[in-house]
Each structure stands twice: as C-alpha cells, then as structure tokens.
Amino acid sequence: MTYCLGIKVKEGLLAIADTRITSGTDTTVKKKITIEQKDHFSLFIMTSGLRSARDKAIVYFNELLETTDFNKMYKAVNAFGEQVKRVIAEDKASLEAAGFRFDLNTIIGGQLKDDDEHKLFLLYPEGNWVELGQGAPYVVIGNSGHGKAILNRILTEDSSLKLALKTGFLSFDSTRVSSNNVDFPIDVAVYKKDSFDIIQQRYEKKDLEYISAQWAEELKLALEHISEDWMDTTFNKLEEIKTES
C-alpha cells in the first residue's frame, strides 16, 4: 500500500508521497514521485498499485517525451494514459493469472507552456482521467481512508502552499499512525503557479517526529477544551440509575 496526496490551491501545487514498498515480508524505500522538467514544462507523476506496471509506464512515457513536445497538461495526461493502456495490453493477463490485480492509479500535476494555470489530474487504471478543480482541492490515492478528515476540514482553493504542506503532512501522519504499510521517509514536491520550477524535498522521521508529537498534544488539549454541557442529560441519567439502585 502507499500514500500519495496531490493538492491544488490558487498559489500552486503540492505533492506528498511516502516511500515504503512492501513485498511479502520485505520492506524497501523507493521514490514514488517522478518529476519531468524542461523549458516551460513542469509536471510530477505519483502512482499507487503494482510497482512493475508503474515503472514500465514511466519508461514508456519518458521515451515519448524525447520525441514529443506537449504544450498543455491534458495532452501529457492523455499520453501517459495511453502508456498505461499499453502496459495493460502487454501485462494484465499474465499478472492476473499470477494472482495480481492491475490497479495503477495516478496523480499528475503541473503546468506546461500553453496552460493558463497549473493543473491537477487523477488518472484511473483504465487510462481515463478527471481534472481536479474548484471545490476539490486535493486527491489521495493508496491508503486514503485515515487522512481525509483534516484535509476536508482545512483545505480550500485559497489556502497557502505552506498551509497545504502542513495539512498534507498531518494527513500523512494520521495515516501512518493508523497503518503499518505507510511510513517515512516522505517526498514532497512544491510548484508555484507560472514558475515552471518544481522544488523537491525528502523528510525523514527525525525531521518531523516533533511535529507529530506536537500535533498529538494539541489534539488532547483541544479535546479538553470542548464544552461538556451537552453530555449532562446523558450522565444525569446514569446518576439517577445509581441512586435508584
């Protein structure tokens, strides 16, 4: 399993991905964010699913980029979708015969020279896609169940990239403490609108464990400050039962 998060705000794009790869009882660390950059061409790709299918699709796409100059993000996303379909045609039958399900989900974000703004897409295993826009500032693939609450409560299209990164990390951290197949290190990619330059950073556990501890403590304090008046009716009934007995 994996955790990949893409966020789009007015200021730019943010990508967060864990690096844990689990195969049976073996665990390794591998990068899950692929970044392609050249003149007025900046995009990142993150995937969840079979690593072999992902690597093959990336190789095919990189080969295509050597001869094709895409000017808009949707065209690049279409092209990557075609490479995913190519891998499906070549490998799906043999993978399923061996007991593996072809489940390659992909997040692609960036901005190309003729895009009026930065874009964020979710590409499905079948090769079709949706673009994330207003009202949907983020997308998660992989182990997505535990970290959505804080994203839903905090993120809007007007959030800053700094708030997006802070919220994104806490979303990852909620997933990490609830699942043993998502863990540090995490890779972060940040893109500022119209910059055509993606910044990358890797965070180890030692870099952020104090933030995780601070968040846990803040949650406890916040809970203590929540009003308890609304519970009186319920607990008064308990006292009445105790008195009657």
Side-chain angles (χ1 to χ4, degrees), residues 2-244:
T2 189
Y3 181 86
C4 295
L5 168 66
I7 297 175
K8 178 188 177 184
V9 293
K10 289 179 179 178
E11 190 180 347
L13 297 168
L14 174 72
I16 298 177
D18 82 315
T19 57
R20 174 168 285 197
I21 300 291
T22 303
S23 178
T25 58
D26 296 329
T27 300
T28 58
V29 171
K30 289 186 178 180
K31 192 171 184 178
K32 297 177 184 175
I33 303 180
T34 298
I35 294 175
E36 301 291 342
Q37 293 201 109
K38 51 186 177 181
D39 185 37
H40 285 81
F41 184 108
S42 296
L43 67 79
F44 61 78
I45 300 172
M46 299 185 288
T47 64
S48 70
L50 289 172
R51 182 75 186 194
S52 61
R54 177 258 187 206
D55 288 351
K56 198 171 187 180
I58 290 289
V59 167
Y60 288 164
F61 184 64
N62 287 339
E63 187 175 56
L64 186 63
L65 290 179
E66 295 175 1
T67 58
T68 308
D69 186 21
F70 298 108
N71 65 328
K72 289 192 173 184
M73 276 294 298
Y74 83 88
K75 295 180 180 179
V77 175
N78 276 341
F80 188 79
E82 289 302 316
Q83 308 318 307
V84 172
K85 292 177 184 177
R86 181 179 171 186
V87 176
I88 290 174
E90 293 174 351
D91 296 347
K92 184 178 180 179
S94 59
L95 287 170
E96 290 184 347
F100 296 99
R101 185 167 64 92
F102 193 97
D103 60 347
L104 192 67
N105 290 281
T106 308
I107 297 173
I108 305 179
Q111 186 176 9
L112 307 189
K113 62 182 179 181
D114 290 335
D115 287 318
D116 57 353
E117 65 169 6
H118 46 293
K119 307 281 187 178
L120 185 65
F121 296 83
L122 171 62
L123 183 77
Y124 297 104
E126 295 77 16
N128 57 318
W129 51 261
V130 294
E131 181 179 355
L132 280 294
Q134 293 184 356
Y138 78 89
V139 60
V140 183
I141 56 176
N143 197 332
S144 61
H146 302 290
K148 286 186 175 181
I150 188 170
L151 298 170
N152 291 335
R153 288 180 178 272
I154 301 298
L155 283 182
T156 72
E157 62 176 357
D158 295 315
S159 299
S160 68
L161 280 172
K162 281 190 174 182
L163 180 60
L165 178 53
K166 185 187 298 186
T167 309
F169 166 68
L170 295 177
S171 173
F172 156 78
D173 198 55
S174 296
T175 305
R176 179 185 67 86
V177 298
S178 303
S179 174
N180 60 7
N181 54 20
V182 172
D183 207 348
F184 288 101
I186 58 171
D187 288 327
V188 171
V190 183
Y191 177 78
K192 191 171 184 179
K193 180 181 179 180
D194 297 330
S195 68
F196 296 99
D197 190 15
I198 298 175
I199 305 303
Q200 304 177 64
Q201 180 68 46
R202 172 163 289 189
Y203 290 97
E204 304 285 347
K205 183 177 181 180
K206 62 182 175 58
D207 299 321
L208 294 176
E209 58 185 349
Y210 77 101
I211 298 296
S212 179
Q214 180 186 354
W215 176 239
E217 189 61 31
E218 293 287 353
L219 284 176
K220 292 175 185 177
L221 291 174
L223 190 59
E224 290 175 3
H225 292 142
I226 294 295
S227 173
E228 297 182 352
D229 296 345
W230 58 277
M231 295 189 289
D232 289 345
T233 302
T234 299
F235 283 91
N236 286 341
K237 290 180 179 179
L238 286 178
E239 292 298 321
E240 291 172 4
I241 294 174
K242 183 179 178 181
T243 301
E244 291 174 359

